[in-house]
């Protein structure tokens, strides 16, 4: 494995480990016991929401919805035997609030979880324990002395060990306590903790979880008369008896729509009952009336009936879905009326209200002021304030408006909305709250971030996404070109290897043959000369043949040496030229001095060969024509170019010879092919200086690739043209 | 090694989800009242026999049709063994049901018929509406002695079986008690409070009114509250349709005179059997009708009625 490969693998492995560690860090942090959450900084990023309208306030986590089975979960699925303590307050009527233990597989829905649930229930003033398994099987409820009332804080302490659950609940106002315990068959042995409400709102604070043992269980069980089993009630008549037992002689179901806990002030029964659309519209305040409607938003408070909705000024603690009766009068202060409620009474709860699906132009008309609506638009911008209020700016074809909603428990939902996305928004249409009717004629006030749904992400050609795509495309092209260049380099290496192989083959065959022929010719010449019978003319021809053979042998050797890629590795150009010149000298005595200036650098194959050829030709000219007594070969490795200089002290070249000589022409041509400049300076009787200045040559580049492709296209066109 | 770790991280999220290939998904209109608890009992009995799992989740309110559709779509994507659904609306579930059938997932429509074309893997297990009409008409005849004024309350043309039930009551009255007249047919409201207002108005305006027949549990509750508010218990009686724990308790305390209950346990069991039969290429009878029962304070504690109203299988 090469060093580069090792580095790449190392970086990938390190990156993968870093990602795994980062993702596991959060898990490891919340996986430890004890666990404590006081919501002091109003952050609940680790809580996962399943239904409801959850918010954080003053160290409390609050659900303001009558939804059946709203829950939030946190902690580790590997927690086994532990005890959980929480303070909780019921914010509503006719439901229960509690905690979940060893919870798994949670989803949105009423009983959509597996695990234990224990709660306080206002309907029968009972401490409830049971098991949820996408179903609900309840243990015998235990009566709570003093009852379960809205606005009263209770402390619940639950211990789960093996398959046993024990619970103690304390009324923090009166100190009254209740205990319950049960054993479940086939229980799940580990799971998360959670908070849950059913049919009512609730608030929780001071969550604490720590490991538990049998002794902790026993401290509660000792107060329990019998260890129950979650199987009660199974039949309707059992259920009725249970209700009768807790009704204490009162009706099983109340038909009196009065609940003192929710009557802020007494309703004036003499006031006429009106629908919202039939209210008096007056700047000074309309007549005193009664209204009935369903709470569609809690903060600010909005109520809606079959005719429409209205903003309500009241300090009553109400939940989404509460059906209320209000007494008071409407005042039209701005673009829409506001109902000033002097009396508020809860009638029923859990009344769902279906939003009207309208266009935003209809919303801007004001006809749906205060009503729950649904529509969709494109997200233009988003901001979140320091107090956790999110403001989104949306538009459709005709209108631009704002959506204002509390951030809830987590910032992750806010982060998931991308500018340019198509969002479906459900919420209260409020013309009244719009700050600038010209820019945004109305606002949408969703009940929670769950009312904002991404229908489609931003278009591919929008803003940063386009930049991202372009960057990705460039990266892809660069990767492909890199791969191509790699392939070309591999191909070039294969060619060089083939050339080397050919060189060796030629050396082993051609040059050896020439050597053999030369040897035989010389033997023959020597033998004939010793005999002395051969005519001089014939001997002369034989000498010429020997000389030609020797010359051809040398030439072949030189050619082969340039084919041999190892030549560059063995030494630089200067060394090779010297070796070649010495070969040409064939034993004659000519001092050759070498000068190398600068750090040797890589020279491209083309330039290398051109310099070698030019240098060889110049050296040959020195040997054959100049009559020089010394020769100097100098190679300068400059910053951007390489310079080869061949200097001799011979007779020099006259101008006419220079024009006629094929060798000099050849030098010029070779130099031009690689972008080199060949300069020959000679003074008669004082020697010659041949200098070649050439670039080092380039590696195969992206530009070469494009040029190559262009030539391919051109040649292809020329082939196809008639 | 890095690739293996990366693959493991990617798999962590997806691999823990349980496959649905052995699971029947039940999507009721609303999953918290006694009607659906009894259905759950029937389905539990049949799936235990067939060694199948049940996934049981419904919308948090009857009005939340989108949530119902989403639950069914998840069942389709999860490759459920079968889907049992009671659509809240005539049309909203049709496309989803067709999608399930296109994925070869058997679907059983439970409770009331909806407007969807017959299909080989689609079957209906329905409540016998004609019998419901006859039962209520017979009870009206008994308590009114063949003569009196009746209001039908809670009409909702969008809810499957709702108008048909009202028509069945009128038809049965014409046949068996022609002197009992339906003098008002009232549309239901979105809330108990506003429904109560409507019921109060009718009681005030119709001094001869003897009985309010509420077509839904919510209207039954509203009518009982209106009667109570106007102190008209001795003049106007309330008959409700479909069981919830609240209206059953109202029956026991005398605020409601009778409740038409559905055999949800039997329907649930048959629905599972249909799905299993579809998978084994056996003949499936469709539609199958289940007779409803009329529960009064006199018969509510009968064992047969209590078995129909069973809330959990642990009793078996």
């Amino acid at each position: 494995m090469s060093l580069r490969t090792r580095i790449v693998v190392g970086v990938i492995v390190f990156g993968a480990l870093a990602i795994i560690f980062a993702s596991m860090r959060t898990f490891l942090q919340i996986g430890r016991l004890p666990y404590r959450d006081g919501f002091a900084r109003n952050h609940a990023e680790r809580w996962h929401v399943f239904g409801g309208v959850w918010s954080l306030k003053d160290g409390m986590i609050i659900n303001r919805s009558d939804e059946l089975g709203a829950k939030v979960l946190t902690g580790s699925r590997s927690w086994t035997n532990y005890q959980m303590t929480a303070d909780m307050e019921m914010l509503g009527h006719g439901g229960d609030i509690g905690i979940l233990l060893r919870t798994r597989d949670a989803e949105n829905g009423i009983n959509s979880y597996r695990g234990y649930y224990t709660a306080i229930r206002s309907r029968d003033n009972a401490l409830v324990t049971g098991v949820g398994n996408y179903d609900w099987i309840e243990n015998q409820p235990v009566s709570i002395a003093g009852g379960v009332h809205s606005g009263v804080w209770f402390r619940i302490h639950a211990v789960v060990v093996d398959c046993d659950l024990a619970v103690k609940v304390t009324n923090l106002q009166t100190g009254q306590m209740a205990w319950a315990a049960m054993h479940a068959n086939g229980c799940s042995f580990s799971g998360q903790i959670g908070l849950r409400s059913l049919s009512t709102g609730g608030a929780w604070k001071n969550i604490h979880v720590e490991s538990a043992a049998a002794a902790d269980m026993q401290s509660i069980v000792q107060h329990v008369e019998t260890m129950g089993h979650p199987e009660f009630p199974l039949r309707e008549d059992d259920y009725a008896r249970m209700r009768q037992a807790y009704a204490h002689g009162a009706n099983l179901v109340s038909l009196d729509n009065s609940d003192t806990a929710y009557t802020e002030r007494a309703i004036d029964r003499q006031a006429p009952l009106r629908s919202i659309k039939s209210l008096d519209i007056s700047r000074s305040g309309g007549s005193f009336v009664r209204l009935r409607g369903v709470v569609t938003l809690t903060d600010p408070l909005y109520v809606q009936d079959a005719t429409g909705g209205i903003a309500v000024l009241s300090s009553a603690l109400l939940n989404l879905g509460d059906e209320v009766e209000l007494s008071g009068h409407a005042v039209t202060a701005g673009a829409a009326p506001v109902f000033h409620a002097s009396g508020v009474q809860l009638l029923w709860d859990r009344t769902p209200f279906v939003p009207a699906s309208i266009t935003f132009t209809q919303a801007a008309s004001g006809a749906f002021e205060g009503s729950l609506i649904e529509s969709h638009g494109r997200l233009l911008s988003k901001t979140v304030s320091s107090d956790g209020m999110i403001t989104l700016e949306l538009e459709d074809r005709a209108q631009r408006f704002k959506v204002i909603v509390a951030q809830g428990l987590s910032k992750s939902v806010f982060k998931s909305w991308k500018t340019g996305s198509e969002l479906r928004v459900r919420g209260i249409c409020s013309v009244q709250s719009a700050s600038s009717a010209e820019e945004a004629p109305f606002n949408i006030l969703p009940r929670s971030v769950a009312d904002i749904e991404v229908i489609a992400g931003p278009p591919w050609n929008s803003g940063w996404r386009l930049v991202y795509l372009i960057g990705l495309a460039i990266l892809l092209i660069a990767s492909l070109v890199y791969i191509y260049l790699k392939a070309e380099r591999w191909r070039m290496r294969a060619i060089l290897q083939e050339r080397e192989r050919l060189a060796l083959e030629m050396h082993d065959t051609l040059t050896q043959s020439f050597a053999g022929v030369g040897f035989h010719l010389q033997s023959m010449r020597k033998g004939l000369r010793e005999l002395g019978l051969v005519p001089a003319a014939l001997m002369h021809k034989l000498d010429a043949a020997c000389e030609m053979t020797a010359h051809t042998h040398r030439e072949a050797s030189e050619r082969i040496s340039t084919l041999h890629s190892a030549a560059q590795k063995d030494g630089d150009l200067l060394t090779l030229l010297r070796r070649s010149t010495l070969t040409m000298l064939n034993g004659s005595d000519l001092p050759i001095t070498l000068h190398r200036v600068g750090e040797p650098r890589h020279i491209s194959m083309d330039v290398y060969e051109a310099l070698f050829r030019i240098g060889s030709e110049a050296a040959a000219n020195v040997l054959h024509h100049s009559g020089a007594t010394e020769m100097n070969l100098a190679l300068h490795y400059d910053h951007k170019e390489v310079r080869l200089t061949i200097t001799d002290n011979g007779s020099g070249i006259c101008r006419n010879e220079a024009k006629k000589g094929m060798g000099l022409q050849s030098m010029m041509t070779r130099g031009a092919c690689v972008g080199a400049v060949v300069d020959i300076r000679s003074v008669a009787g004082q020697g010659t200086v041949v200098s070649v200045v050439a670039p080092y040559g380039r590696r195969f580049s992206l530009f070469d690739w494009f040029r190559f492709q262009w030539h391919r296209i051109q040649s292809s066109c020329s082939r196809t043209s008639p | 090694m890095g690739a293996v770790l990366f693959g493991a991280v990617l798999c962590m999220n997806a691999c823990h989800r349980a496959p649905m290939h052995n699971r029947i998904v039940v999507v009721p209109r609303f999953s918290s009242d006694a009607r659906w608890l009894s259905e759950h009992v029937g389905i539990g009995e049949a799936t235990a026999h067939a060694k199948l799992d049940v996934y049981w989740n419904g919308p948090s309110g009857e009005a939340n049709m989108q949530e119902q559709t989403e639950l069914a779509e998840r069942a389709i994507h999860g490759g459920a063994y079968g889907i049992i659904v009671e659509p809240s609306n005539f049309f909203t579930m049709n496309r989803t049901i067709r999608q399930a059938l296109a994925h070869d997932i058997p679907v059983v429509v439970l409770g009331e018929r909806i407007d969807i074309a017959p299909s080989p893997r689609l079957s209906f297990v329905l409540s016998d509406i004609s019998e419901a009409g006859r039962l209520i008409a017979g009870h009206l005849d008994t308590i009114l002695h063949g003569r009196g004024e009746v209001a039908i309350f809670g009409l909702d043309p969008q809810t499957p079986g709702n108008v048909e039930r009202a028509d069945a009551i009128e038809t049965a009255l014409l046949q068996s008690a022609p002197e009992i007249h339906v003098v008002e047919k009232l549309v239901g409201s979105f809330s108990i409070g506003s429904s109560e207002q409507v019921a109060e108005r009718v009681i005030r305006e119709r001094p001869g009114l003897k009985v309010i027949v509420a077509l839904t549990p919510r209207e039954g509750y509203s009518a009982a509250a209106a009667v109570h508010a106007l102190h008209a218990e001795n003049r106007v009686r309330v008959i409700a349709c479909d069981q919830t724990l609240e209206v059953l308790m109202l029956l026991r305390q005398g605020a409601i005179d009778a409740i038409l209950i559905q055999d949800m346990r039997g329907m649930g069991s048959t629905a599972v059997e249909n799905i299993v039969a579809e998978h084994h290429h056996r003949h499936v009878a469709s539609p199958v009708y289940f007779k409803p029962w009329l529960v009064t304070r006199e018969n509510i504690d009968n064992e047969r009625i209590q078995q129909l109203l069973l809330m959990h299988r642990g009793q078996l």
Side-chain angles (χ1 to χ4, degrees), chain B residues 16-305:
Chain B
H16 80 277
R17 291 181 181 276
M20 282 191 169
H21 62 268
N22 199 37
R23 182 172 289 183
I24 289 180
V25 175
V26 187
V27 187
R29 282 185 199 169
F30 185 46
S31 55
S32 73
D33 58 40
R35 176 179 159 101
W36 310 119
L37 293 176
S38 304
E39 179 188 332
H40 202 182
V41 171
I43 289 170
E45 289 165 348
T47 49
H49 184 256
K51 295 184 172 54
L52 294 168
D53 291 335
V54 183
Y55 174 88
W56 171 272
N57 201 356
S60 51
E62 280 196 59
N64 201 335
M65 289 172 269
Q66 188 175 337
E67 197 177 337
Q68 194 180 38
T69 306
E70 286 170 1
L71 285 166
E73 282 174 350
R74 275 170 47 192
I76 295 166
H77 294 144
Y81 188 82
I83 298 174
I84 299 171
V85 62
E86 185 174 31
S88 302
N89 184 281
F90 271 114
F91 308 108
T92 51
M93 290 290 288
N94 287 12
R95 186 168 178 273
T96 312
I97 291 172
R98 288 200 192 96
Q99 274 183 349
L101 297 172
H103 284 77
D104 262 358
I105 298 173
V107 178
V108 180
V109 174
L110 200 84
E112 314 296 347
R113 181 181 284 281
I114 58 169
D115 287 342
I116 187 168
S119 176
R121 306 212 107 189
L122 174 67
S123 60
F124 292 87
V125 178
L126 305 175
S127 169
D128 188 341
I129 290 177
S130 301
E131 179 65 13
R134 282 191 291 274
L135 283 171
I136 291 174
H139 188 69
L140 287 171
D141 192 16
T142 305
I143 61 176
L144 296 179
H145 307 293
R147 182 182 295 272
E149 291 183 359
V150 174
I152 296 179
F153 187 30
L155 282 163
D156 178 10
Q158 302 300 320
T159 302
N162 178 283
V163 176
E164 290 78 1
R165 188 177 279 173
D167 290 346
I169 295 167
E170 281 195 283
T171 304
L173 280 175
L174 280 173
Q175 289 173 354
S176 62
E179 294 301 313
I180 298 175
H181 302 289
V182 176
V183 294
E184 288 268 8
K185 292 173 79 172
L186 305 163
V187 175
S189 183
F190 71 97
S191 72
I192 290 174
S194 55
S195 287
E196 184 194 336
Q197 282 180 266
V198 175
E200 285 182 18
R201 179 186 62 77
V202 174
I203 294 168
R204 282 199 192 96
E205 290 177 357
R206 294 276 180 184
L209 187 71
K210 299 293 182 191
V211 178
I212 295 175
V213 178
L215 297 174
T216 69
R218 187 177 62 199
E219 266 64 42
Y221 195 104
S222 304
V227 169
H228 178 77
L230 297 176
H231 306 291
E233 287 90 345
N234 295 328
R235 180 164 73 86
V236 180
R237 296 189 189 195
V238 177
I239 297 173
C241 294
D242 299 335
Q243 61 268 38
T244 68
L245 288 173
E246 295 298 293
V247 295
L248 285 164
M249 295 305 105
L250 287 175
L251 176 78
R252 286 185 177 274
Q253 72 188 44
I256 285 179
D257 189 69
I259 304 171
L260 182 85
I261 66 166
Q262 309 296 334
D263 183 1
M264 299 307 294
R265 185 179 170 188
M267 286 195 220
S269 181
T270 302
V272 173
E273 287 164 10
N274 281 9
I275 288 171
V276 174
E278 290 280 5
H279 276 279
H280 291 87
H281 306 291
R282 294 198 302 265
H283 172 70
V284 174
S286 176
V288 177
Y289 291 99
F290 277 76
K291 292 189 183 301
W293 292 66
L294 197 73
V295 180
T296 62
R297 276 190 300 284
E298 287 71 37
N299 68 3
I300 188 168
D301 288 320
N302 289 356
E303 188 58 24
R304 174 60 185 154
I305 299 294

Side-chain angles (χ1 to χ4, degrees), chain A residues 287-438:
Chain A
S287 57
F288 195 84
V289 295
R290 283 187 296 146
L291 288 182
R292 279 186 180 183
V294 174
V295 176
T296 48
L297 190 69
T298 54
D299 189 16
L301 184 61
Y302 273 83
V303 167
Q304 187 167 351
D305 70 6
T307 64
I310 191 168
V312 176
L313 282 182
S314 170
S315 57
L317 190 61
L318 297 167
N319 295 317
L320 287 179
D322 282 347
E323 189 174 0
V324 292
E325 185 170 299
L326 312 170
S327 59
H329 59 276
V331 177
T332 308
V338 177
F339 194 80
H340 292 251
S342 58
V344 178
Q345 186 175 20
L346 181 74
L347 301 178
W348 317 103
D349 54 12
R350 274 187 292 132
T351 306
F353 216 104
V354 181
S357 189
I358 62 170
T359 67
F360 286 126
T361 301
Q362 289 173 307
S365 72
F368 290 88
E369 163 65 23
S371 299
L372 190 63
I373 64 161
E374 175 187 278
S375 196
H376 58 88
R378 193 166 65 89
L379 178 63
L380 298 176
S381 66
K382 60 175 187 176
T383 56
V384 59
S385 64
S386 57
D387 60 349
M389 290 305 295
I390 294 171
T391 302
L392 307 178
E393 193 176 11
L394 272 78
E395 69 169 7
D396 67 356
R397 287 183 181 177
Q399 303 294 334
R400 182 174 288 199
F401 57 96
K402 288 181 179 173
V403 175
I404 301 167
V405 62
Q407 183 175 259
L409 304 187
S410 170
K411 291 177 186 169
S412 59
V413 181
F414 173 76
K415 288 177 184 170
S416 70
W417 298 326
K418 306 292 182 202
T419 307
S421 300
E422 191 77 6
L423 302 183
R424 179 187 290 135
V425 182
R426 280 184 288 269
I428 301 299
C429 173
S430 174
V431 178
Q432 180 80 10
S433 64
S435 56
S436 167
E438 191 174 335

Side-chain angles (χ1 to χ4, degrees), chain A residues 107 234 236 252-253 273 323, chain B residues 55 74 191 193 197 252 311:
Chain A
E107 292 178 10
L234 303 180
E236 188 275 337
L252 297 173
V253 179
L273 191 61
E323 189 174 0
Chain B
Y55 174 88
R74 275 170 47 192
S191 72
Q197 282 180 266
R252 286 185 177 274
M311 294 159 63

Side-chain angles (χ1 to χ4, degrees), chain A residues 87 258 579 655:
Chain A
D87 295 344
S258 61
R579 195 184 301 158
R655 190 162 293 180

Side-chain angles (χ1 to χ4, degrees), chain A residues 449-647:
Chain A
V449 288
D451 277 338
I452 301 169
E453 187 182 351
V454 179
I455 301 172
W460 69 270
N461 57 353
S462 64
W464 283 107
R465 179 170 282 215
L466 187 61
V467 174
Y468 173 75
L469 286 175
I470 290 171
L472 201 67
I474 290 171
L475 197 67
L476 186 67
I477 291 170
S479 304
L480 290 173
V481 169
Y482 175 77
I483 292 167
Y484 177 78
L485 292 179
K486 271 282 183 193
E488 282 293 309
R489 207 160 288 164
W490 290 332
R491 194 170 69 87
M492 187 60 74
R493 195 174 296 163
I495 290 169
L496 290 176
Q497 285 173 349
E498 181 62 16
R499 285 178 63 165
E500 195 169 337
R501 191 186 65 80
L502 284 173
L504 290 172
E505 289 284 329
M506 287 170 71
H507 177 264
D508 291 347
T509 54
L510 190 63
T511 58
Q512 296 295 342
S513 297
F514 274 123
V517 170
F519 175 76
H520 286 296
L521 282 174
Q522 285 195 6
S523 299
M524 192 186 298
R525 187 176 65 174
K526 188 179 177 184
L528 289 172
R529 191 170 285 165
E530 285 173 358
L531 285 173
L533 297 173
V534 182
L538 190 59
M539 281 301 293
H540 183 70
K541 286 185 178 178
L542 194 57
D543 288 343
C546 284
E547 182 58 28
M548 281 179 69
T549 306
H551 179 75
T552 308
H553 186 195
R554 285 195 301 273
E555 283 282 319
S557 296
E558 288 165 16
R559 300 275 175 183
I560 289 166
S561 70
T562 59
L563 281 174
H564 206 300
S565 66
Q568 239 192 111
K569 291 179 185 173
D570 291 345
D572 65 1
L573 179 66
L574 209 53
T575 310
L576 196 66
L577 275 173
R578 184 173 180 272
R579 195 184 301 158
S580 168
T581 308
L582 287 174
T583 309
M584 283 189 281
L585 279 172
N586 199 19
S588 301
D589 185 22
L590 178 67
I592 300 173
T593 56
L594 302 178
H595 291 284
R596 187 185 295 109
V597 181
E599 187 71 21
R601 290 168 60 177
H602 178 85
I603 302 170
S604 76
M605 182 65 77
D606 292 346
V607 174
Y608 188 94
E609 187 160 346
L611 289 177
F612 178 77
R613 289 286 163 215
I614 293 167
S616 297
E617 187 64 41
N621 287 336
V622 171
L623 296 178
H624 296 147
H625 306 296
S626 73
T629 56
E630 60 180 54
M631 186 167 70
N632 188 332
L633 295 174
L635 192 62
H636 293 256
Y637 290 99
D638 294 335
H639 178 55
K640 290 186 176 177
E641 54 203 13
V642 58
R643 180 155 49 93
L644 174 67
T645 310
I646 302 103
T647 311

